Amino acid sequence: MRKRISLLLTIFLFPVLIYAQDKPYFFGLGGSYLIPTGSLTLRFSTAGGLNFFYGYKSSDKWEWFGKIEYLNFNKENREKLKIKRNVNLGGSEVVRTFDLPKLETDLKIYGVSANSNARLFDYDFLNGDITFGFGIYRWESFRSAYFDTLRVDTMGTTYDAVILKVPSLKQLDWSGGFDVGMNLSLKIIDPVWFEVNANYKAIIGELWATLDLDLENISVFQMFELRLGLKARF
């Protein structure tokens, strides 16, 4: 009798055990450290972001997942936010560089993307993947107004060198984008994994130029992303 019960339990539980070992589904969340590159460095310094993902393992070599993410560039690159002007000082024309300490600007990006992991190696406790994805992003950019008189002090004489009267600017738009990189997953305790991801991300958005502030047009938001997160398989 006991043998029959054991046999029946084995028959009924075998698919469940196999499914539990395979664990094709996964979800997770992470935080990002964003390093702007290209023309985006002319306005912003490093930034942060958050993301949530849910996916499915279709084979030993491929995983597919959707991702929701939020990127927030809210720290100005003060080393780049400067203007140059020709200034007449005592009858001589000279070029002077002025800081813009009152200028505030930010860029917030909300995205939904489809992504894939292509397995490079697979051990019981460590996985490595090439990862890539394509997404749609809603972004909003804000630049503050700038009303100020920039002065030069030379030989005890103060000159009103530049008078700035620039209104604020806000942009809202949708853009496409992609990312490509590498991902490492380290098992902490089954079913939880720790992930490290490094990728290049580009979003085809355009920030308009402001010539009075020497701000050039930015046509692509380029950045390197370092992401740390946790993933659970089930």
Side-chain angles (χ1 to χ4, degrees), residues 155-210:
M155 303 292 291
T157 303
T158 300
Y159 297 87
D160 289 347
V162 183
I163 299 176
L164 294 174
K165 296 180 179 180
V166 183
S168 62
L169 176 64
K170 186 172 184 178
Q171 291 180 249
L172 297 170
D173 209 343
W174 292 89
S175 298
F178 70 92
D179 62 73
V180 59
M182 293 191 65
N183 187 73
L184 291 176
S185 299
L186 177 66
K187 184 189 292 185
I188 300 175
I189 180 171
D190 195 39
V192 180
W193 294 68
F194 175 71
E195 288 199 330
V196 179
N197 179 281
N199 66 69
Y200 166 80
K201 183 188 295 290
I203 299 172
I204 317 301
E206 181 181 12
L207 297 183
W208 297 335
T210 303

Side-chain angles (χ1 to χ4, degrees), residues 5-221:
I5 293 175
S6 299
L7 180 60
L8 288 173
L9 287 174
T10 301
I11 292 173
F12 281 107
L13 292 178
F14 182 75
V16 176
L17 293 173
I18 293 297
Y19 178 82
Q21 291 176 358
D22 191 35
K23 294 180 180 176
Y25 298 97
F26 58 88
F27 70 93
L29 54 85
S32 297
Y33 180 71
L34 306 167
I35 305 172
T37 186
S39 56
L40 198 62
T41 62
L42 300 178
R43 300 200 192 188
F44 300 106
S45 185
T46 55
L50 298 170
N51 58 81
F52 172 82
F53 57 91
Y54 181 92
Y56 174 75
K57 179 180 178 181
S58 62
S59 69
D60 290 339
K61 295 294 184 180
W62 291 96
E63 292 180 339
W64 306 89
F65 60 97
K67 182 168 62 175
I68 300 172
E69 54 189 319
Y70 167 66
L71 316 176
N72 185 15
F73 289 89
N74 60 357
K75 184 178 179 182
E76 299 85 0
N77 187 349
R78 296 296 178 190
E79 295 298 318
K80 299 291 185 179
L81 290 175
K82 301 175 183 289
I83 64 172
K84 290 184 178 180
R85 293 291 187 271
N86 293 324
V87 180
N88 191 316
L89 299 178
S92 300
E93 199 73 21
V94 296
V95 178
R96 288 295 179 93
T97 300
F98 300 91
D99 294 328
L100 298 172
K102 299 179 182 180
L103 183 62
E104 297 179 357
T105 182
D106 63 44
L107 174 64
K108 294 180 175 64
I109 304 172
Y110 310 85
V112 178
S113 59
N115 305 264
S116 180
N117 289 333
R119 188 58 45 87
L120 289 175
F121 58 85
D122 188 355
Y123 301 106
D124 181 58
F125 65 95
L126 181 66
N127 296 332
D129 307 281
I130 294 177
T131 182
F132 53 89
F134 300 89
I136 299 175
Y137 299 88
R138 174 68 168 176
W139 56 269
E140 56 185 51
S141 171
F142 173 75
R143 176 189 51 72
S144 65
Y146 210 96
F147 298 94
D148 200 4
T149 300
L150 308 181
R151 296 180 172 87
V152 177
D153 191 348
T154 302
M155 303 292 291
T157 303
T158 300
Y159 297 87
D160 289 347
V162 183
I163 299 176
L164 294 174
K165 296 180 179 180
V166 183
S168 62
L169 176 64
K170 186 172 184 178
Q171 291 180 249
L172 297 170
D173 209 343
W174 292 89
S175 298
F178 70 92
D179 62 73
V180 59
M182 293 191 65
N183 187 73
L184 291 176
S185 299
L186 177 66
K187 184 189 292 185
I188 300 175
I189 180 171
D190 195 39
V192 180
W193 294 68
F194 175 71
E195 288 199 330
V196 179
N197 179 281
N199 66 69
Y200 166 80
K201 183 188 295 290
I203 299 172
I204 317 301
E206 181 181 12
L207 297 183
W208 297 335
T210 303
L211 300 181
D212 287 342
L213 297 175
D214 287 1
L215 294 178
E216 298 180 4
N217 181 78
I218 298 175
S219 56
V220 182
F221 310 152

